Amino acid sequence: RLQLKTLQRTHQSNSPSCYSQKSKSENGATILEMQHKDYCSGSVTNMSRNHQKQVITDDDIRVRSIQDSIKNIISGKIETSSQNNIPISSGVKLHSLNYIVTVTLGGRNTTVIVDTGSDLTWIQCQPCRLCYNQPEPLFNPSVSPTYRKVICNSSVCQTLQSATGNSGSCGNDLQDCSYVVNYGDGSYTRGELGQDHLVLGSTSVENFVFGCGRNNKGLFGLASGLMGLGRSDLSLISQTFETFGGVFSYCLPSAEAKSSGSLVLGGDSNTTIFKNSTPISYTRMLANPQLVTFYFLNLTGVTIGGVAIQDSAFGKTGMIIDSGTVITRLPPTIYKAVKAEFLKQFSGYPFKQGVSILDTCFDLSAYEEVSIPTVKMQFEGGAEMEVDVTGVLFIVKSDASQVCLALASLQYDDE
Amino acid sequence: IGIIGNYQQKNTRVIYDIKQSQVGFAKETCS
């Protein structure tokens, strides 16, 4: 392409006599004479300062253009059919501290919580026996022409056991596949499995299996349901494996941010570079045969303000990484050491009583500016996650009279 | 078993690759 452009520019020059006439054939190859594009006008040997400046400016624009093209291709900004970008935003507007995305299911926009800690995607359905409030209309399977029931003696229904911990059962009409999902915080959803057309950004998924929730209660805010991004056969990631190859990523914005982050499905985790991100550091997922649906990582260290926390518990137990849990829970001995170092470095600020699981709180209402120690988590293989400054402290009261370290302890070491 | 919650994952690109069994992290301004 670069050569072609040079020839085209030569053609645009003023005098026909300037066209390159000299060509020859040698060993089966055709050799064309090549001249500078300004050769014909003579300006190549007699450039004014302005012309020189223009040439340099043109050259700079050209280089920037090439670099941008390369950057866009590498960063995946020019999306391939196997990669899909969906806006993700804080669920605060839906009274949830989780993150939400809007997808289209059965032709209707549906806003759901993004949860890597569970597998079944479900939405509240009509007719509903026990549903919480949601601003979006309830999904009505009877008016979706593409909706189909999952029958109870099907292989799909049998995957419920590994995906949810509860086996599917035959519903009232002895055909429906009834499901039950109980979450760790006491929330639950019950209903039947169905299949419908799902649109994720620019990608369509036919016959996507999801839960039609008829009995739902718990900490879902006003979201219409939940998107399960776990590892079982029933998760969205497994159901779209052929399209997206089992790769996805997200970038969660702070709750105060009005603009959204992104959930990216697909791409190549080894070569993809995200716009405005630092280089990616990887750690291996641990295999936990008892809890195969979770994403387990090996936490090998924590630093507070650059000081490494010493604890024999590091590297011994896996940590689950979950988008559906809000506050990080650390094993007690690690938490105690982290808390002690944080207090050492965050000294001088008045203490305040704790709230709920947060036991390290301060009254910062008298301060316009505070210096917050950095928190870094290190994982097997050298991967590191530096906690963003917005993720270190949890502002309980908006006047900053109660601000807490946004970390909590498990009750006991092998909980 | 500890859990890394979403509050600490803000403004970080978290990449999951089931096929290669790896999770990646990169700093990113998400908004």
Side-chain angles (χ1 to χ4, degrees):
Chain A
R1 289 187 56 192
L2 290 172
Q3 285 176 344
L4 181 63
K5 280 183 181 172
T6 305
L7 288 172
Q8 284 170 339
R9 282 175 180 169
T10 306
H11 271 292
Q12 286 162 5
S13 60
N14 297 331
S15 168
S17 64
C18 285
Y19 290 160
S20 174
Q21 300 293 318
K22 295 174 188 173
S23 68
K24 58 182 177 180
S25 293
E26 218 173 74
N27 300 327
T30 300
I31 301 165
L32 298 175
E33 187 186 62
M34 208 152 88
Q35 293 165 339
H36 189 272
K37 72 184 177 74
D38 291 331
Y39 172 78
C40 296
S41 65
S43 59
V44 68
T45 54
N46 188 26
M47 276 188 194
S48 68
R49 181 162 288 191
N50 282 344
H51 192 186
Q52 282 178 336
K53 198 176 165 187
Q54 186 59 49
V55 167
I56 297 297
T57 304
D58 288 348
D59 199 55
D60 189 43
I61 291 168
R62 179 178 173 74
V63 169
R64 283 192 212 176
S65 167
I66 292 169
Q67 297 287 15
D68 282 349
S69 302
I70 293 167
K71 201 160 54 176
N72 288 342
I73 292 165
I74 292 173
S75 69
K77 196 175 165 188
I78 298 170
E79 289 180 2
T80 62
S81 59
S82 62
Q83 194 178 51
N84 203 350
N85 197 323
I86 304 167
I88 190 167
S89 57
S90 162
V92 162
K93 60 190 169 199
L94 295 182
H95 306 173
S96 171
L97 290 176
N98 282 307
Y99 286 84
I100 51 173
V101 292
T102 300
V103 297
T104 307
L105 186 61
R108 300 197 68 131
N109 280 356
T110 307
T111 303
V112 288
I113 290 168
V114 175
D115 188 10
T116 60
S118 67
D119 292 82
L120 180 69
T121 297
W122 61 269
I123 55 169
Q124 298 202 105
C125 272
Q126 276 185 343
C128 192
R129 281 189 289 279
L130 176 67
C131 281
Y132 54 84
N133 287 336
Q134 62 173 58
E136 292 170 340
L138 287 177
F139 181 78
N140 188 347
S142 64
V143 299
S144 172
T146 43
Y147 181 85
R148 285 193 297 145
K149 288 180 176 182
V150 170
I151 55 174
C152 66
N153 60 359
S154 65
S155 58
V156 172
C157 192
Q158 287 163 11
T159 62
L160 277 169
Q161 177 65 51
S162 60
T164 68
N166 299 306
S167 57
S169 59
C170 291
N172 293 336
D173 62 0
L174 301 179
Q175 281 198 329
D176 291 351
C177 172
S178 296
Y179 76 86
V180 175
V181 184
N182 297 309
Y183 297 94
D185 59 8
S187 306
Y188 62 84
T189 174
R190 290 167 194 164
E192 301 93 50
L193 289 192
Q195 289 178 295
D196 210 331
H197 185 72
L198 174 68
V199 180
L200 298 158
S202 57
T203 304
S204 294
V205 182
E206 302 296 333
N207 301 320
F208 179 74
V209 177
F210 66 101
C212 217
R214 314 280 189 185
N215 191 338
N216 321 297
K217 194 176 179 185
L219 303 174
F220 307 115
L222 303 175
S224 296
L226 185 145
M227 176 190 277
L229 297 177
R231 300 176 70 180
S232 86
D233 290 343
L234 210 47
S235 81
L236 184 142
I237 302 307
S238 296
Q239 288 194 55
T240 60
F241 197 89
E242 284 188 11
T243 308
F244 300 123
V247 177
F248 69 100
S249 72
Y250 53 69
C251 193
L252 308 176
S254 53
E256 303 78 31
K258 286 180 182 171
S259 52
S260 52
S262 63
L263 170 66
V264 177
L265 297 161
D268 184 334
S269 71
N270 284 339
T271 57
T272 302
I273 298 168
F274 292 92
K275 193 184 167 195
N276 300 330
S277 86
T278 59
I280 305 162
S281 60
Y282 284 101
T283 185
R284 74 179 176 102
M285 288 180 198
L286 301 183
N288 188 322
Q290 290 174 301
L291 299 163
V292 291
T293 65
F294 292 114
Y295 298 99
F296 274 98
L297 310 178
N298 191 6
L299 182 73
T300 53
V302 173
T303 65
I304 304 293
V307 176
I309 303 301
Q310 305 295 327
D311 195 278
S312 58
F314 284 124
K316 288 190 176 166
T317 58
M319 291 275 285
I320 294 170
I321 182 161
D322 181 19
S323 65
T325 293
V326 179
I327 299 293
T328 295
R329 312 299 209 277
L330 294 169
T333 58
I334 294 178
Y335 178 75
K336 272 180 204 161
V338 164
K339 178 181 170 179
E341 184 58 37
F342 186 86
L343 285 173
K344 198 169 149 189
Q345 295 185 29
F346 203 66
S347 60
Y349 299 105
F351 289 107
K352 189 88 176 190
Q353 76 274 15
V355 54
S356 183
I357 56 170
L358 305 177
D359 67 359
T360 310
C361 302
F362 308 88
D363 179 354
L364 302 178
S365 58
Y367 300 87
E368 285 193 2
E369 196 171 291
V370 293
S371 181
I372 304 169
T374 56
V375 177
K376 287 183 183 176
M377 295 186 182
Q378 293 152 336
F379 300 94
E380 184 182 314
E384 192 171 81
M385 185 185 84
E386 181 179 340
V387 177
D388 187 72
V389 67
T390 59
V392 177
L393 296 175
F394 191 95
I395 301 167
V396 181
K397 293 185 178 169
S398 57
D399 64 354
S401 62
Q402 193 175 27
V403 177
C404 305
L405 176 64
L407 296 170
S409 177
L410 295 173
Q411 281 187 297
Y412 40 93
D413 266 324
D414 56 351
E415 183 180 359
Chain B
I1 295 166
I3 303 174
I4 303 164
N6 65 39
Y7 204 78
Q8 278 67 45
Q9 297 176 47
K10 288 186 286 184
N11 289 319
T12 299
R13 173 67 58 178
V14 186
I15 303 111
Y16 298 75
D17 184 341
I18 290 179
K19 206 188 278 182
Q20 298 201 57
S21 201
Q22 60 182 9
V23 173
F25 301 98
K27 287 287 286 178
E28 184 175 322
T29 303
C30 301
S31 300

